[in-house]
């Protein structure tokens, strides 16, 4: 008679554990990281990125030490949070901005809820939202090489960087038609990534290449991003603007591919994912259209993060049931 073995749940194991998932997400963000560093220059991008990553890992280690918890920095989640935060910062921010943002992201966005798997909100977005609300002047000051500036006449004097508005900022203040008159090739420039903006959010093709890597390796699914972009496109069309422009501009690709897909802060059922993605996209579009900020990705996703527990209770996953 064979020995009876009793073990606690879960009984199903997947080879795709947390360190592997985080490692693949980190790799998927490298094309956008490299492009941002090349486009804006190392002087404006290297330190914000390094300080965001080191700050996130350091604050997580500090929290584990203070509260006597197992050291969790080797699962890679703090590393990814720091990189996502750094990529969502304007180039050339003061050194303390990424440190404050990463501290808020790890302490208040993640560890306060009990750590990875128990946080309600995406930690990187929590850090970014606090920075936007607390220091809007710094977080909306965009620097770029003079030749790539929008609305700034090229002087030909060889200036290293100039301060300029982003496409979303111009369309917010002057209208989408004014933006297209200023730069008729704006959609192409947004796709390639030759516009002012955050360090890692300017190139749609670089971000999408990383997203498709995650999609084909099974790290993320298609459903939430698809309905996120659908909701954003519908709202943009209702506002009388080009839906494709709203998908390509600002943080939409970053948010729709790498932040709404967060396992922890998204619903578990397919219907819940549809509502979640669609709602985040619609809120993003409404904030861009009617809100005070030209960008709406951060708050659009955070609003729907708050509704995830409700969606999971409203549309619970049923186990042991088969359709006939």
């Amino acid at each position: 008679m064979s020995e009876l073995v009793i073990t606690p749940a879960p009984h199903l194991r997947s080879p795709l554990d947390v360190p592997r998932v985080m490692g693949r997400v980190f790799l998927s963000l490298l094309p956008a990281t490299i492009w941002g560093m090349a486009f804006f220059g190392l002087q404006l991008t290297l330190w914000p990125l390094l300080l965001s990553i080191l700050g996130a890992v350091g604050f997580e280690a500090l929290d584990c030490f203070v509260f006597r918890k197992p050291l969790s920095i080797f699962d890679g989640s703090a590393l990814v949070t720091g990189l996502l935060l750094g990529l969502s910062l304007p180039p050339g921010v003061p050194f303390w901005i990424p440190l404050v943002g990463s501290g808020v992201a790890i302490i208040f966005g993640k560890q306060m809820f009990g750590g990875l798997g128990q946080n309600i909100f995406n930690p990187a977005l929590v850090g970014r939202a606090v920075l936007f609300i607390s220091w809007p002047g710094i977080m909306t000051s965009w620097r770029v090489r003079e030749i790539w500036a929008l609305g700034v006449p090229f002087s030909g004097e060889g200036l290293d960087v100039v301060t300029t508005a982003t496409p979303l900022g111009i369309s917010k203040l002057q209208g989408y038609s004014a933006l297209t008159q200023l730069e008729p090739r704006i959609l192409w420039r947004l796709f390639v990534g030759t516009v002012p903006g955050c360090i890692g959010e300017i190139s749609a093709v670089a971000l999408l290449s990383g997203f498709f890597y995650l999609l084909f390796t099974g790290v993320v699914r298609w459903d939430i991003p698809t309905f996120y972009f659908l909701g954003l496109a519908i709202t943009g069309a209702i506002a009388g603007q080009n839906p494709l422009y709203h998908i390509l501009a600002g943080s939409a690709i970053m948010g729709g591919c790498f932040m709404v897909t967060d396992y922890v802060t998204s619903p578990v059922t397919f219907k819940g994912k549809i509502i979640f993605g669609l709602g985040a996209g619609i809120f993003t579009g409404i904030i861009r259209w009617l809100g005070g900020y030209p960008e709406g990705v951060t708050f659009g996703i955070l609003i729907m993060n708050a509704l995830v527990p409700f969606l999971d209770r409203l549309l619970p996953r049923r186990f042991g049931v088969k359709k006939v």
Side-chain angles (χ1 to χ4, degrees):
M1 183 177 179
S2 61
E3 183 181 0
L4 178 63
V5 179
I6 301 176
T7 59
H11 300 289
L12 296 178
R13 288 180 176 272
S14 169
L16 202 60
D17 55 12
V18 173
R20 284 188 175 86
V21 169
M22 294 302 166
R24 290 180 181 179
V25 174
F26 188 86
L27 286 176
S28 70
L29 290 168
L30 288 183
T33 305
I34 294 171
W35 176 253
M37 296 174 76
F39 182 71
F40 293 111
L42 291 178
Q43 186 177 2
L44 297 178
T45 57
L46 184 59
W47 286 112
L49 290 172
L50 284 178
L51 290 174
S52 294
I53 294 173
L54 294 176
V57 175
F59 279 109
E60 176 134 333
L62 179 64
D63 181 87
C64 294
F65 174 75
V66 171
F67 294 99
R68 299 181 180 181
K69 295 186 289 189
L71 192 62
S72 56
I73 59 174
F74 299 109
D75 64 12
S77 59
L79 183 74
V80 170
T81 297
L83 181 58
L84 284 171
L85 178 69
L87 294 176
S88 64
L89 296 176
V93 293
F95 75 93
W96 52 269
I97 284 286
L99 293 177
V100 172
S102 59
V104 171
I106 295 297
I107 301 298
F108 295 98
K110 178 182 176 184
Q111 296 299 94
M112 183 174 286
F113 292 95
L116 182 65
Q118 303 181 64
N119 50 295
I120 299 175
F121 301 100
N122 182 288
L125 287 177
V126 172
R128 187 185 190 188
V130 170
L131 293 177
F132 262 116
I133 294 172
S134 303
W135 297 281
I138 295 175
M139 291 298 290
T140 55
S141 179
W142 312 100
R143 302 178 184 179
V144 70
R145 292 175 185 172
E146 185 183 20
I147 192 173
W148 300 116
L150 294 172
V152 178
F154 181 62
S155 68
E157 296 178 355
L159 298 176
D160 288 337
V161 293
V162 295
T163 302
T164 180
T166 63
L168 281 175
I170 295 174
S171 62
K172 180 73 175 178
L173 295 176
Q174 304 176 36
Y176 179 68
S177 58
L179 174 64
T180 55
Q181 290 177 3
L182 187 67
E183 177 49 274
R185 303 171 303 162
I186 187 62
L187 293 181
W188 173 250
R189 289 186 60 176
L190 287 169
F191 180 74
V192 175
T194 56
V195 293
C198 294
I199 295 173
E201 298 179 344
I202 55 172
S203 175
V205 65
L207 290 166
L208 288 173
S209 65
F211 171 71
F212 284 119
Y213 165 72
L214 293 180
L215 195 64
F216 290 127
T217 54
V219 175
V220 299
R221 289 165 51 93
W222 61 273
D223 39 22
I224 297 180
T226 299
F227 286 98
Y228 175 80
F229 293 126
L230 180 63
L232 179 58
I234 291 173
T235 312
I238 294 173
Q241 299 183 350
N242 188 334
L244 181 59
Y245 163 71
H246 274 283
I247 292 175
L248 295 176
S251 308
I253 300 289
M254 172 68 85
C257 294
F258 296 95
M259 291 175 169
V260 293
T261 52
D262 185 352
Y263 294 165
V264 181
T265 59
S266 58
V268 296
T269 63
F270 181 67
K271 290 180 181 177
K273 292 176 188 293
I274 292 175
I275 297 173
F276 173 75
L278 204 59
I282 290 173
F283 276 121
T284 298
I286 290 175
I287 294 171
R288 283 183 175 183
W289 178 21
L290 303 174
Y293 287 101
E295 180 60 277
V297 172
T298 300
F299 298 106
I301 297 176
L302 287 176
I303 290 171
M304 291 308 295
N305 282 163
L307 296 179
V308 167
F310 170 74
L311 292 174
D312 284 339
R313 283 197 297 270
L314 182 68
L315 303 165
R317 172 173 285 181
R318 301 173 65 190
F319 293 98
V321 176
K322 184 178 180 180
K323 290 183 178 179
V324 294

